[in-house]
Amino acid sequence: MCALSYTSAQTYFIGEEDSMYSYKTSGVCARTINFDIDDNGIITAVEFDGGCNGNQTGISRLVVGKPAEGHYLRQTPHKLPDQLARALQEAIDAL
């Protein structure tokens, strides 16, 4: 069963059994970032909706298996890594 609940203005929690989140981006080519965080706070999946595949694939492979909080640099507010960092922080704050 899938339920949608808000964790902030941009991050949504999808499902009761899943830990899937969806973040509406701003100022980047991807429209949304969907990601899973397990019970230990580890990123288990990252998917981008829209945008160019190369950068997104690299970012996804770098962060899967890493902790969801703590070490993501926010260099520029309108870059995909920054948007992912914001999404992860909002999800962690909502836990």
Side-chain angles (χ1 to χ4, degrees), residues 51-71:
C52 14
N53 188 35
N55 194 26
Q56 298 168 0
T57 300
I59 292 168
S60 296
R61 289 185 179 171
L62 286 171
V63 300
V64 168
K66 303 279 193 298
E69 76 177 322
H71 60 83

Side-chain angles (χ1 to χ4, degrees), residues 71-83:
H71 60 83
Y72 297 99
L73 298 176
R74 293 184 178 178
Q75 300 168 350
T76 309
H78 297 293
K79 297 289 185 184
L80 204 51
D82 172 69
Q83 294 287 300

Side-chain angles (χ1 to χ4, degrees), residues 17-60:
E17 297 170 11
D18 292 339
S19 55
M20 176 66 82
Y21 293 85
S22 183
Y23 180 81
K24 185 177 182 332
T25 62
S26 174
V28 296
C29 55
R31 292 180 295 277
T32 58
I33 303 170
N34 301 309
F35 56 96
D36 283 332
I37 301 172
D38 70 12
D39 293 337
N40 297 317
I42 303 298
I43 302 166
T44 58
V46 176
E47 298 173 350
F48 297 91
D49 179 27
C52 14
N53 188 35
N55 194 26
Q56 298 168 0
T57 300
I59 292 168
S60 296

Side-chain angles (χ1 to χ4, degrees), residues 4-20:
L4 177 68
S5 63
Y6 297 95
T7 58
S8 79
Q10 291 186 311
T11 304
Y12 308 95
F13 179 69
I14 304 171
E16 294 175 10
E17 297 170 11
D18 292 339
S19 55
M20 176 66 82

